[in-house]
């Protein structure tokens, strides 16, 4: 069942976010609005529904891995969900988010946000599959179809990670397609922010199969 989170107060009620986290999220929204005039980070109309479309959509995955301290957000783009996760975990000892994106100009934006908000995050201007990072959870939103995303995530699984991927209504066909190429164990949970959305938890990823 989805939960309406249309403003800062509703977000705080849904997540337990501190006033400091709410202030950081407001500043993050300001960064998005400012930089969106120079480059395409998010759909302009989505800034009007920032709390539901971006903040709540991202933060909802945290309770699914309550003990996870290290995260890698692959193809993070505007920093979703990674920046939101870093804001929410800012006061947790040992919490850290790796923001991975191959586009240099997006990384400039991400570095400005991370520095400005003093977030526990590192920006990597790199292809996800080229990094050697050990993390608890690998995540992604609107990055690639699942079959390709598993290829990006495979090096992280080899180092013990699991995955939480934010997906849309085509998740069933993406899982079917990925199963033709990959040997993996996954389950699907409904999104709390969008009735059409799904969260795919991948617990195990084996070697790729030949079609």
């Amino acid at each position: 069942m989805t939960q309406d989170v249309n403003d800062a107060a509703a977000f705080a009620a849904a997540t337990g976010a501190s006033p400091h986290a709410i202030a950081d999220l407001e500043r993050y929204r300001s960064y998005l609005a400012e930089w969106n005039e120079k480059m395409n980070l998010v759909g302009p109309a989505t800034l009007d529904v920032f709390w539901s479309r971006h903040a709540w959509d991202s933060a909802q995955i945290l309770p699914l891995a309550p003990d996870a301290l290290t995260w890698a957000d692959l193809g993070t783009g505007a920093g979703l969900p990674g920046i939101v996760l870093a804001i929410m975990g800012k006061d947790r000892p040992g919490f850290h988010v790796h923001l991975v994106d191959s586009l240099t100009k997006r990384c400039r934006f991400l570095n400005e946000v991370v520095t400005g908000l003093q977030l526990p995050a590192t920006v990597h201007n790199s292809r996800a599959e080229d990094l050697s990072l050990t993390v608890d959870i690998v995540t992604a939103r609107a990055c690639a179809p699942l079959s390709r995303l598993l290829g990006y995530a495979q090096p992280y699984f080899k180092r013990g990670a699991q995955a939480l991927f934010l997906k849309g209504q085509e998740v069933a066909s993406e899982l079917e397609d990925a199963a033709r190429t990959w040997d993996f164990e996954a389950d699907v949970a409904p999104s709390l922010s969008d009735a059409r959305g799904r969260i795919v938890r991948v617990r195990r990823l084996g070697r790729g199969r030949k079609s």
Side-chain angles (χ1 to χ4, degrees):
M1 179 182 294
T2 58
Q3 187 172 345
D4 289 335
V5 176
N6 296 318
D7 55 27
F11 180 86
T15 63
S18 69
H20 293 297
I22 296 297
D24 278 349
L25 286 165
E26 291 281 18
R27 289 183 64 194
Y28 174 45
R29 179 165 62 165
S30 296
Y31 277 116
L32 283 172
E34 176 188 348
W35 279 71
N36 224 41
E37 295 181 1
K38 299 181 284 187
M39 57 188 289
N40 182 30
L41 287 168
V42 296
T46 68
L47 290 171
D48 294 333
V49 286
F50 168 82
W51 290 102
S52 60
R53 180 69 184 88
H54 297 311
W56 177 224
D57 190 55
S58 299
Q60 67 174 319
I61 64 175
L62 277 170
L64 299 179
D67 298 325
L69 290 176
T70 51
W71 298 67
D73 183 12
L74 310 186
T76 186
L80 297 161
I83 291 288
V84 175
L85 301 179
I87 289 171
M88 296 295 291
K90 191 174 179 179
D91 296 328
R92 288 180 63 187
F95 195 91
H96 200 85
V97 180
H98 296 276
L99 303 164
V100 183
D101 202 278
S102 61
L103 194 64
T104 301
K105 61 182 180 179
R106 281 200 293 255
C107 289
R108 284 198 293 268
F109 163 76
L110 295 168
N111 273 312
E112 180 161 321
V113 176
V114 168
T115 301
L117 300 183
Q118 297 183 302
L119 297 180
T122 302
V123 178
H124 301 269
N125 187 183
S126 173
R127 289 158 52 94
E129 62 271 36
D130 292 339
L131 293 174
S132 297
L133 298 173
T134 300
V135 297
D136 299 319
I137 299 289
V138 60
T139 189
R141 185 183 94 154
C143 174
L146 185 61
S147 58
R148 187 148 31 105
L149 193 52
L150 292 175
Y152 299 159
Q154 187 179 33
Y156 304 82
F157 274 88
K158 287 180 177 178
R159 297 179 181 89
Q162 293 189 3
L164 290 168
F165 296 136
L166 289 154
K167 284 292 179 181
Q169 59 188 348
E170 301 300 323
V171 68
S173 61
E174 288 195 34
L175 284 164
E176 184 179 346
D177 183 59
R180 297 189 181 101
T181 309
W182 295 99
D183 175 21
F184 64 98
E185 178 186 339
D187 55 71
V188 180
S191 168
L192 299 178
S193 66
D194 184 346
R196 300 164 299 176
R198 298 291 184 270
I199 301 167
V200 178
R201 180 196 294 271
V202 184
R203 302 179 184 276
R204 180 186 59 80
L205 177 63
R207 303 176 73 177
R209 291 174 175 169
K210 292 184 178 179
S211 301

